Amino acid sequence: MIPKIIFEQSIKRYFKCVAPFMDDESVSEIMINGPNDIWIEVAGKLQQTNAKFENADDLMGGVKNIAQYVGKTLNDLNPRMDARLPDGSRVHVVLPPCARNGVSVAIRRFGEFSLTMEKLMGYGSITAQAAEFINLCVHMEQNVIVAGGTGSGKTSLLNCVSTLIDPKERIIVIEDSTELQLQQPHVVMLEARGPDAKGRGKVEIGDLFRSAMRLRPDRIVIGEIRGGEALDLIQAMTSGHGGSMSTTHATYPDDTLRRLETMAMMSEVKMPLAALRSQVASAINIIIQTARFNDGSRKLTHIVECLGLDQAGEYVIHPLFEFKHQGQDPKTGKVMGELKAVGNLPTFLDNARSRNLHVDESWFRPL
Ligand SMILES: Nc1ncnc2c1ncn2[C@@H]1O[C@H](COP(=O)(O)OP(=O)(O)OP(=O)(O)O)[C@@H](O)[C@H]1O
Ligand SMILES: [Mg+2]
C-alpha cells in the first residue's frame, strides 16, 4: 500500500489528461478505452472528448498505481480490478489482451452520495407516496432487493433506502469494493478482496456474509449480489434476518426472482430447483426496479410485493407502483411520466398499524 498523499500526486501525473474531468462536478463517469479514446458522461449522456494520454505507458502506470494504492494485484494473471479512489470514485479496469482497445477503465465519479429521497422526488425518479411506502418497508423489516440495468441508479437508491434504517440498529455492510456510505453510528463495513499474485488470500462476499451472521447483525446490507452468495442471503432472509437489502442486475420483477434463483444455483451447496424456488419466494418481500431512460434520467419503474408461489410453482407478484410513460417532451427531449400506484394494497398494512407505524391507504390509490 502507498500513502494517500503520494498516491494523489502520482495519479495526477499519470492521469493528467483526465484530471479536469475528475475535478468537474458535472461529470458523472469517465471512460478510457485505451490511451486515445476517452469519453465522459454529463447529465446522463455520453460524449467523446479530445483528451488523450501521451502514451500507453502513462495509462498503464496510472492503473498499476491505483492497484498498488488499494493493495490489489493487476497483471497478466489478474487482468481485471475493482477499486475505489480516495475521493470516493469507483474504478474498474481491464487490461489487454482481454481489453482489445488497450487498457480500459471506467471511473464513476461520485465523491459522496448526495441523493436523498427529497432529491429523487425533485428529479421525478420517485413520488412522495412511493417514498413513504419504502420508508414503511424498512421499518417493517421487509427484505428488499433493488434491481435494474447497469448504471440505472441501483446503488444510489440502496444508499438512500439504507439511510432510513433506525440509527439504533447494528448494520453490517458487505461490498466488493466500498461504495455505500451509511451515516448511522453503528455500522460495520466489510469488503471482499481478490487473491494476491500467488493466488492466495481471496475473501468473497459469501465468506463475509457468513462472518456477518456471526457478528450479531440487526441488518445486513449487501452492495450487490452477483453469484453464489445469493443462496447465503436467501437462507439468512428465510431464517429470521428480516430487513436485509441488496441490489442485483435484472430488468423486471419476475426476472429478478429468476436471476436470484440462477445465482443461488452457482453456490457450492446444491439444492433441488423446487426447494430453491420456494426459498427465494419466501425470502424476498419487496422488489424495487430502477431504469436508465434515453434522456439520461434514472427512475423507479416498479415496486412490487412478492407473495410466494402459486399452486403451479410460479412466483406471485403483487404490483404496487408502476411507472406510466407519457411520451417525451418534444422541446427538451425529457421522458415524461410518473411512478403511479396501481391500486393494490400491500399485505402487511394491518401488521404495520398494529406496530403503530404511519400508514395511509391513499398512498396506494391511483390518481
Ligand atoms: N435518480 C437519479 N437521478 C439522476 N441520477 C442518478 C439517479 N440515481 C443515480 N444517478 C446517477 O447515475 C449514475 C449511476 O448510479 P449507480 O451507481 O447508483 O447505478 P448502478 O445501477 O448501481 O450502476 P452499476 O450497475 O454500475 O452498479 C451515478 O452517476 C449516479 O449519481
Ligand atoms: Mg451499483
Side-chain angles (χ1 to χ4, degrees):
M1 291 268 237
I2 46 179
K4 182 173 162 194
I5 179 127
I6 298 185
F7 170 70
E8 279 172 338
Q9 284 162 3
S10 54
I11 198 73
K12 281 226 161 93
R13 198 174 65 239
Y14 287 122
F15 273 14
K16 199 165 55 202
C17 64
V18 291
F21 309 131
M22 294 177 78
D23 293 334
D24 182 345
E25 288 284 316
S26 68
V27 173
S28 50
E29 190 124 8
I30 304 161
M31 289 139 280
I32 303 169
N33 315 327
N36 301 316
D37 187 24
I38 300 174
W39 294 68
I40 54 176
E41 187 191 82
V42 178
K45 293 215 163 148
L46 291 177
Q47 57 191 66
Q48 196 167 20
T49 72
N50 295 323
K52 288 185 186 354
F53 282 81
E54 271 174 32
N55 53 57
D57 290 349
D58 273 0
L59 175 53
M60 183 64 94
V63 295
K64 289 268 167 99
N65 204 234
I66 297 174
Q68 225 185 338
Y69 172 67
V70 295
K72 294 196 174 174
T73 312
L74 187 66
N75 56 25
D76 286 351
L77 294 178
N78 300 283
R80 302 165 56 243
M81 176 182 74
D82 272 316
R84 191 153 172 99
L85 300 182
D87 70 354
S89 307
R90 183 186 88 172
V91 182
H92 189 76
V93 180
V94 185
L95 297 186
C98 294
R100 306 288 300 178
N101 308 30
V103 174
S104 296
V105 185
I107 305 174
R108 177 158 304 159
R109 244 207 93 253
F110 33 32
E112 56 182 311
F113 283 101
S114 47
L115 280 182
T116 56
M117 283 293 181
E118 286 69 31
K119 282 200 183 161
L120 291 182
M121 284 182 232
Y123 294 152
S125 303
I126 192 172
T127 54
Q129 293 80 354
E132 291 272 17
F133 173 63
I134 292 177
N135 186 34
L136 178 70
C137 293
V138 173
H139 288 95
M140 283 296 291
E141 284 147 25
Q142 297 285 298
N143 292 317
V144 177
I145 298 287
V146 177
T150 309
S152 61
K154 301 181 295 295
T155 306
S156 310
L157 182 65
L158 179 65
N159 199 65
C160 223
V161 174
S162 69
T163 61
L164 307 170
I165 300 174
D166 189 329
K168 291 202 272 305
E169 295 187 29
R170 173 171 162 87
I171 310 165
I172 305 204
V173 181
I174 303 172
E175 290 178 278
D176 255 334
S177 81
T178 304
E179 281 192 275
L180 296 170
Q181 297 162 18
L182 277 81
Q183 303 302 322
Q184 286 84 342
H186 196 164
V187 179
V188 179
M189 308 280 294
L190 303 177
E191 189 177 49
R193 66 165 198 212
D196 71 2
K198 295 198 172 121
R200 300 168 307 190
K202 180 159 91 170
V203 180
E204 295 183 320
I205 299 268
D207 303 320
L208 294 176
F209 190 83
R210 287 183 282 280
S211 292
M213 295 291 283
R214 295 187 193 148
L215 288 170
R216 200 223 161 267
D218 284 325
R219 301 260 183 173
I220 301 179
V221 179
I222 304 188
E224 186 178 339
I225 299 285
R226 290 190 198 154
E229 68 275 8
L231 184 62
D232 298 292
L233 175 70
I234 285 157
Q235 292 189 329
M237 285 173 163
T238 47
S239 62
H241 276 275
S244 301
M245 42 184 93
S246 188
T247 74
T248 198
H249 276 246
T251 322
Y252 288 101
D254 50 350
D255 279 354
T256 303
L257 293 165
R258 284 184 203 287
R259 195 158 153 68
L260 286 169
E261 235 177 52
T262 312
M263 289 189 294
M265 281 193 254
M266 294 176 190
S267 161
E268 280 160 20
V269 180
K270 298 295 167 215
M271 196 187 275
L273 178 62
L276 186 59
R277 181 165 291 186
S278 83
Q279 288 211 356
V280 171
S282 67
I284 309 300
N285 304 123
I286 299 288
I287 299 174
I288 308 175
Q289 294 287 153
T290 57
R292 176 159 79 173
F293 287 73
N294 59 7
D295 63 349
S297 65
R298 276 88 172 169
K299 300 183 199 303
L300 274 69
T301 55
H302 302 80
I303 303 181
V304 305
E305 194 183 352
C306 305
L307 301 183
L309 295 178
D310 64 14
Q311 293 198 329
E314 292 299 324
Y315 292 110
V316 180
I317 289 172
H318 187 56
L320 300 171
F321 296 90
E322 244 170 60
F323 182 78
K324 299 279 179 242
H325 224 287
Q326 288 159 349
Q328 227 156 334
D329 185 315
K331 284 203 192 103
T332 59
K334 290 240 171 284
V335 169
M336 296 186 302
E338 209 179 28
L339 183 69
K340 297 220 187 255
V342 299
N344 291 328
L345 291 177
T347 55
F348 52 86
L349 285 193
D350 287 342
N351 204 348
R353 285 194 194 97
S354 68
R355 291 174 59 173
N356 284 332
L357 293 169
H358 171 58
V359 176
D360 184 342
E361 288 195 12
S362 73
W363 300 337
F364 308 101
R365 235 170 261 144
L367 298 173

